Amino acid sequence: TEIGEYAFYKCSNVTEFHIPKNLVSIGQYAINDFKLTEINITKAISKINANTWDCTGLQTVKFDANSACTEIGNNAFANETQLSSITLPSTIRTIGYQAFSGCSSLTSIELPDSITSIGYSAFSGTKLTSFTIPAGITEINETRVVSGSYDAYETWFGVSRYSNETGGWVRRSFDSLIELKFAEGSKCI
């Protein structure tokens, strides 16, 4: 069962939306211009597609226990400026490019060690104060994960490449980032 692309595009008066338990997929731009403060992702959804959500006032995203979700697509929650709370399930493997870009109220996020790939600028424009690279990470694509936060233009994360000048992370113009670390057991390439 699925909701197709643009199904509820520009439905600006919707203030409540319950995802059916048997829903497997929600298409791009399907939930657009809603006035939701919370979204509960049911366990049957295996992927948050690109550009799925565009909600005025979205503050919290929750996943059901035993979630089947393995991917947060490109721009999935981009520019949700009031999003301050999200707990990702341990099934997530991939976070797409700019997935949380522009979420200017997001101050913390715990990434499960199941994540193997993070797209470029996935957390740019957030207010993250701490960021831990998950132990399972094998790929961080193309440009900075947290735009402006550190000198990581070459983000293949070879031990000798994470800073060109100091051999460590360089704090740059991203004022809110205080701590950047690798999870215990990281196998960065």
Side-chain angles (χ1 to χ4, degrees), residues 93-106:
R93 303 278 181 262
T94 303
I95 295 177
Y97 69 81
Q98 299 179 341
F100 297 97
S101 177
C103 293
S104 57
S105 295
L106 191 61

Side-chain angles (χ1 to χ4, degrees), residues 71-118:
E71 182 176 346
I72 306 292
N74 302 335
N75 300 301
F77 296 101
N79 300 312
E80 296 293 348
T81 60
Q82 294 182 38
L83 181 63
S84 60
S85 177
I86 184 166
T87 302
L88 299 176
S90 62
T91 54
I92 295 291
R93 303 278 181 262
T94 303
I95 295 177
Y97 69 81
Q98 299 179 341
F100 297 97
S101 177
C103 293
S104 57
S105 295
L106 191 61
T107 58
S108 68
I109 188 167
E110 187 172 325
L111 302 176
D113 286 338
S114 59
I115 294 176
T116 58
S117 176
I118 299 174

Side-chain angles (χ1 to χ4, degrees), residues 107-135:
T107 58
S108 68
I109 188 167
E110 187 172 325
L111 302 176
D113 286 338
S114 59
I115 294 176
T116 58
S117 176
I118 299 174
Y120 70 88
S121 296
F123 300 98
S124 65
T126 64
K127 297 275 194 270
L128 294 175
T129 56
S130 177
F131 192 83
T132 300
I133 306 296

